[in-house]
Amino acid sequence: MRLDKYLCESSDLTRSLARSALAGGEITVNGEVVKRGTFVVQEGDQVQWDGETLEVIGLRYIMLNKPAGYECSLKNSQHLPVMDLLNVDKRDRLHTVGRLDVDTTGLILITDDGQWTHRIISPRHRCDKVYLATLAEPLPDDAEARFAAGIVLEGEDKATLPAVLERVGTHQARLTIQEGKYHQVKRMFAALGNLVTALHRERIGPVALDEDLQPGESRYLTPVEVSALAQTDEASV
């Protein structure tokens, strides 16, 4: 990696500040002052800025148990962004893998790997998302069949992809979908004349929310989890 890029990736230096630091002799590589931004940093090189060792942060993959009241959007809003729940460096480089509504809780994935994100959210890959919905009214007897056939949402002409509905109680159901339309789960139940009073995402693809994570807590995904999500199949449920 070029030294000027390395400096920006491993510190708070902007491109212009990195150039100034280089020109001022503030940067050393393996103890030697280097002023050329084009210098190529090799694996194992020790880069320092005013005596402080710099290290490029690798790609990050995070699981968060999102509480209600936090927003996945980065736009200014009356709600706090979910990124505020993370105690990590360079949060501005991270993004959520898809979104959850402000009042929806549960599993949200956060990363700085755009290709990995695309693999999960692309409609072609049909990645399962599993939600536990609490409902205002009991479900009709034919709810499972209607969800399996696809639901035509209000304002749309084409039905959703087939979904799997599992009754958990008289007013609770577990729903597995493969899309991410706007307010999709709530709109699917609304099409049946029902209201979702609480919604919690339990799983994305093969990765379930860690039961040890309290609302607002997070942890890094394991390499196995990262790989499993990247290999999401194009023809599951």
Side-chain angles (χ1 to χ4, degrees):
M1 182 185 297
R2 283 173 50 124
L3 180 56
D4 50 5
K5 182 178 180 181
Y6 188 99
L7 294 175
C8 295
E9 291 285 334
S10 61
S11 70
D12 294 327
L13 290 171
T14 62
R15 290 183 179 181
S16 60
L17 289 176
R19 286 195 295 268
S20 296
L22 286 163
E26 301 172 19
I27 309 300
T28 62
V29 179
N30 301 327
E32 300 291 332
V33 174
V34 178
K35 296 187 175 184
R36 293 183 296 107
T38 57
F39 178 91
V40 178
V41 180
Q42 305 290 344
E43 184 176 356
D45 283 348
Q46 184 183 62
V47 179
Q48 292 187 316
W49 172 31
D50 275 348
E52 178 185 352
T53 300
L54 303 179
E55 186 175 355
V56 172
I57 299 173
L59 293 173
R60 294 168 289 177
Y61 308 90
I62 299 169
M63 167 191 296
L64 170 71
N65 185 355
K66 178 189 173 297
Y70 283 82
E71 191 170 56
C72 293
S73 172
L74 296 178
K75 297 179 180 178
N76 292 331
S77 158
Q78 60 181 334
H79 303 287
L80 293 171
V82 292
M83 295 303 179
D84 283 2
L85 296 168
L86 301 180
N87 183 23
V88 298
D89 293 332
K90 299 186 179 296
R91 290 187 307 190
D92 59 310
R93 298 186 182 181
L94 297 168
H95 61 265
T96 59
V97 181
R99 296 180 179 180
L100 290 179
D101 299 337
V102 170
D103 58 348
T104 300
T105 62
L107 176 60
I108 191 80
L109 300 176
I110 299 173
T111 185
D112 44 13
D113 186 342
Q115 291 185 338
W116 186 75
T117 295
H118 177 73
R119 179 74 187 183
I120 296 170
I121 67 175
S122 171
R124 290 194 307 110
H125 297 295
R126 303 287 179 89
C127 181
D128 292 347
K129 291 95 175 174
V130 182
Y131 296 84
L132 181 65
T134 302
L135 307 168
E137 304 292 338
L139 288 167
D141 293 340
D142 63 347
E144 289 89 345
R146 292 173 68 179
F147 274 88
I151 300 288
V152 177
L153 304 177
E154 183 178 357
E156 299 190 19
D157 298 324
K158 187 177 179 181
T160 63
L161 291 174
V164 176
L165 180 72
E166 173 193 354
R167 294 173 194 259
V168 177
T170 58
H171 290 72
Q172 275 197 324
R174 181 169 286 110
L175 182 66
T176 302
I177 64 174
Q178 297 178 329
E179 299 168 289
K181 295 178 182 290
Y182 180 70
H183 289 172
Q184 180 172 342
V185 174
K186 296 175 182 177
R187 293 167 68 199
M188 291 177 79
F189 283 107
L192 270 66
N194 214 324
L195 174 70
V196 174
T197 59
L199 190 61
H200 181 79
R201 184 156 66 188
E202 300 179 320
R203 181 167 62 85
I204 298 175
V207 175
L209 178 63
D210 192 326
E211 295 180 356
D212 292 333
L213 290 180
Q214 296 301 309
E217 292 184 343
S218 62
R219 70 163 173 83
Y220 284 97
L221 295 179
T222 67
V224 171
E225 290 170 332
V226 173
S227 177
L229 283 161
Q231 295 172 11
T232 303
D233 181 86
E234 290 193 26
S236 59
V237 191

